[in-house]
Amino acid sequence: SNRFYVDGSKGYIVFIDTLPASPVFVCSVERTIAQVWRWDRNSVEKIGDVDITNERVILSIVSTDNEILLGGGSGNLWSCNIV
């Protein structure tokens, strides 16, 4: 069994032990709230949790020049300033 930890700031699973040449992983990941992440084609950065409203899933995202509109599974809509 490989030893690992989760880097919560980047959302990575980091393995401590050397992995075999063709590793196979089976994981169950469970979140109780939605998260917003940003990717610039080089790295992934967590923007934040949508925990204020207890929203479990974001179903739609629309970006404009200065904001992101998020549509949640509950039917709520949020506007986030990204400037």
Side-chain angles (χ1 to χ4, degrees), residues 6 9 16 18 21 23 28 34-35 38 44 46 51-52 56-58 61 64-67 71 75 77 82:
V6 176
S9 67
I16 298 166
T18 303
S28 294
Q35 295 182 325
R38 176 172 49 197
V44 178
K46 181 178 174 183
D51 57 351
I52 295 171
R56 295 182 63 113
V57 64
I58 300 299
I61 300 175
T64 66
D65 290 338
N66 59 358
E67 70 180 348
L77 182 67
I82 57 172

Side-chain angles (χ1 to χ4, degrees), residues 31-66:
R31 296 286 307 168
T32 57
I33 56 174
Q35 295 182 325
V36 178
W37 292 74
R38 176 172 49 197
W39 177 52
D40 64 5
R41 299 196 185 273
N42 293 313
S43 61
V44 178
E45 177 186 355
K46 181 178 174 183
I47 303 300
D49 294 323
V50 188
D51 57 351
I52 295 171
T53 61
N54 230 7
E55 187 64 61
R56 295 182 63 113
V57 64
I58 300 299
L59 297 176
S60 58
I61 300 175
V62 175
S63 65
T64 66
D65 290 338
N66 59 358

Side-chain angles (χ1 to χ4, degrees), residues 5-14 37:
Y5 66 93
V6 176
D7 180 341
S9 67
K10 295 184 176 128
Y12 297 157
I13 298 175
V14 180
W37 292 74

